[in-house]
Amino acid sequence: TSANGVVTLKSGVTLYGGFTGAETARDARNYTDNVTTINGEDSRRCVYAISGGAVDGFTMTGGKTTSSSTGGTNGGGMFGGTATNCVFTYNTASDGAGLYQGTAVNCSFTFNTASSEGGGMYQGTATKSIFRNNTAQFGGGMYQGTAINSLFILNSSTHICGGLYQSTSVNCTVAYNSTVYSGSGLHEGVSTNCIIWGNTGGSQVSSGTIVTYSCLTTTQSGTGNIVGEPSFINPSLGDFRLRADSPCIDKGTSSGAPLVDLVGT
């Protein structure tokens, strides 16, 4: 451990969680049942991995950066590196409260708070991940990153953009996020094959945002966009899959899109 984080990873090192201690093979672990926590105890960053290290199957919580940390006050949960099958929750930082300039695959970001930019994530790429109830001044869910096959739900900003700020989103659902001023869902980014629905506070999509082949609450210029109720199965229980009668089905484009969606269809 160091001022950089509870765990500092060297380049090429991957740390795995989710074991009981009785396993004889890595594949026998269960990171969902056997929660393995890296706790910053509200005094330091959880993981520092700028050299390309990775974590798989951990919960990062209580991360809080200080000015003495390498990377400054950014990345409360994790700075750099790759996180797979991880949970980032209740971390704080200036930028990127959950993850700063890293890669997230099949991760969950909840209740992270950035005093400036990127409550859930700042820059980097998120795939098959969920961003829920994160907060920042700019970009409650994500700031200047790329999101693929991901959900942005109930994130908020105290200034501009509750969802994704200056980010690229493909095959994403951006719903019920909120902001004080503009871009409650998207602000000045590029969005394809997305559902932007029920976001509140100013416009759901700010000017300067390029949106194509997406479903929105109101008419939005751009190729292939539609207006209509997306018909989520049960959003109150977090199920944002589409009902069989959803107008969004088969309205996207395969160009530049992943082969399958979040649930593997």
Side-chain angles (χ1 to χ4, degrees):
T1 63
S2 69
N4 291 336
V6 176
V7 174
T8 299
L9 293 174
K10 294 182 178 180
S11 179
V13 173
T14 300
L15 190 66
Y16 292 89
F19 298 92
T20 63
E23 296 85 357
T24 57
R26 182 190 301 162
D27 291 345
R29 70 186 177 126
N30 188 321
Y31 54 81
T32 301
D33 291 344
N34 307 318
V35 177
T36 310
T37 301
I38 300 174
N39 196 326
E41 297 179 321
D42 296 321
S43 61
R44 54 183 171 170
R45 180 185 292 124
C46 294
V47 177
Y48 180 78
I50 192 61
S51 299
V55 290
D56 187 325
F58 285 90
T59 293
M60 270 71 76
T61 188
K64 183 177 181 180
T65 51
T66 64
S67 58
S68 62
S69 303
T70 302
T73 57
N74 303 318
M78 185 170 176
F79 189 109
T82 298
T84 304
N85 305 320
C86 288
V87 174
F88 295 84
T89 186
Y90 293 105
N91 300 290
T92 59
S94 176
D95 297 335
L99 175 60
Y100 183 90
Q101 293 182 337
T103 299
V105 181
N106 195 34
C107 291
S108 172
F109 296 80
T110 60
F111 300 103
N112 301 288
T113 302
S115 59
S116 185
E117 299 163 346
M121 190 169 174
Y122 179 99
Q123 298 181 345
T125 300
T127 304
K128 294 179 65 176
S129 294
I130 298 173
F131 294 76
R132 184 191 296 268
N133 294 110
N134 303 288
T135 303
Q137 186 177 9
F138 301 95
M142 174 180 282
Y143 185 92
Q144 291 184 344
T146 297
I148 303 168
N149 277 349
S150 295
L151 303 179
F152 290 80
I153 313 297
L154 297 172
N155 303 288
S156 62
S157 78
T158 57
H159 196 71
I160 296 176
C161 189
L164 296 92
Y165 189 112
Q166 290 182 349
S167 297
T168 297
S169 51
V170 182
N171 283 31
C172 291
T173 294
V174 184
Y176 309 115
N177 303 285
S178 62
T179 190
V180 175
Y181 295 108
S182 65
S184 53
L186 306 172
H187 180 78
E188 295 181 354
V190 178
S191 184
T192 304
N193 287 0
C194 291
I195 297 174
I196 301 99
W197 185 263
N199 304 287
T200 58
S203 59
Q204 291 205 57
V205 179
S206 70
S207 60
T209 305
I210 300 172
V211 181
T212 57
Y213 297 98
S214 295
C215 175
L216 303 100
T217 306
T218 58
T219 302
Q220 175 74 28
S221 61
T223 304
N225 292 325
I226 63 172
V227 174
E229 165 66 56
S231 297
F232 300 125
I233 288 181
N234 196 335
S236 63
L237 293 180
D239 190 344
F240 288 87
R241 293 176 298 165
L242 300 177
R243 296 181 182 276
D245 61 351
S246 170
C248 303
I249 295 175
D250 294 332
K251 292 300 190 295
T253 177
S254 60
S255 179
L259 293 177
V260 297
D261 62 15
L262 180 61
V263 295
T265 301

